[in-house]
């Protein structure tokens, strides 16, 4: 008997701001630019590409293309979409940097 698989779209589960925040935070923790762009595209689809297009001044087609698996959105596009999604960037110093670890290891 062959197994039947269904298509899963993570955008379907992003129904709250908390779920979106966790999803994006986990994407940023990977430090993988392509995955982060993909995750932003998923969130944009969850919120509605038409709405995001309207708020950013970009076309739906440009958004789909930029955040597709082959896409490579510019920083300007990424920041515009993040703003429209209500997502901000925060810079933070890692809790324990490599420099601190090397300094602590010296006798």
């Amino acid at each position: 008997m062959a197994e039947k698989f269904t298509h899963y779209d993570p955008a379907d589960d992003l129904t709250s701001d908390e779920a979106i925040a966790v999803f994006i935070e986990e994407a940023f923790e990977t430090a993988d630019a392509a995955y982060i762009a993909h995750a932003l595209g998923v969130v944009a689809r969850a919120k509605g590409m038409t709405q995001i297009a309207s708020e950013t001044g970009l076309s739906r087609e440009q958004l789909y293309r930029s955040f597709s698996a082959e896409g490579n959105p510019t920083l300007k596009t990424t920041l515009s979409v993040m703003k429209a999604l209500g997502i901000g960037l925060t810079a933070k110093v890692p809790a324990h940097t490599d420099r601190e670890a090397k300094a602590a290891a010296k006798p």
Side-chain angles (χ1 to χ4, degrees):
M1 176 184 213
E3 291 185 49
K4 186 175 184 179
F5 294 98
T6 59
H7 176 73
Y8 172 72
D9 184 357
D12 295 339
D13 290 331
L14 299 176
T15 57
S16 71
D17 289 341
E18 289 175 349
I20 290 169
V22 169
F23 186 72
I24 292 297
E25 182 177 357
E26 289 176 356
F28 272 98
E29 287 176 0
T30 69
D32 180 336
Y35 185 74
I36 293 166
H38 169 72
L40 286 169
V42 170
V43 173
R45 283 189 293 106
K47 289 283 193 173
M49 279 295 193
T50 301
Q51 175 185 337
I52 301 303
S54 175
E55 291 181 31
T56 62
L58 302 168
S59 70
R60 289 177 59 244
E61 293 77 17
Q62 183 178 0
L63 291 171
Y64 278 113
R65 189 172 47 251
S66 293
F67 294 102
S68 71
E70 298 82 31
N72 188 15
T74 64
L75 180 58
K76 181 178 179 179
T77 298
T78 301
L79 293 175
S80 293
V81 169
M82 289 179 67
K83 182 178 179 182
L85 294 171
I87 298 170
L89 283 177
T90 303
K92 65 180 181 178
V93 176
H96 194 68
T97 64
D98 288 339
R99 181 183 293 161
E100 292 170 341
K102 288 177 185 176
K106 289 184 180 181

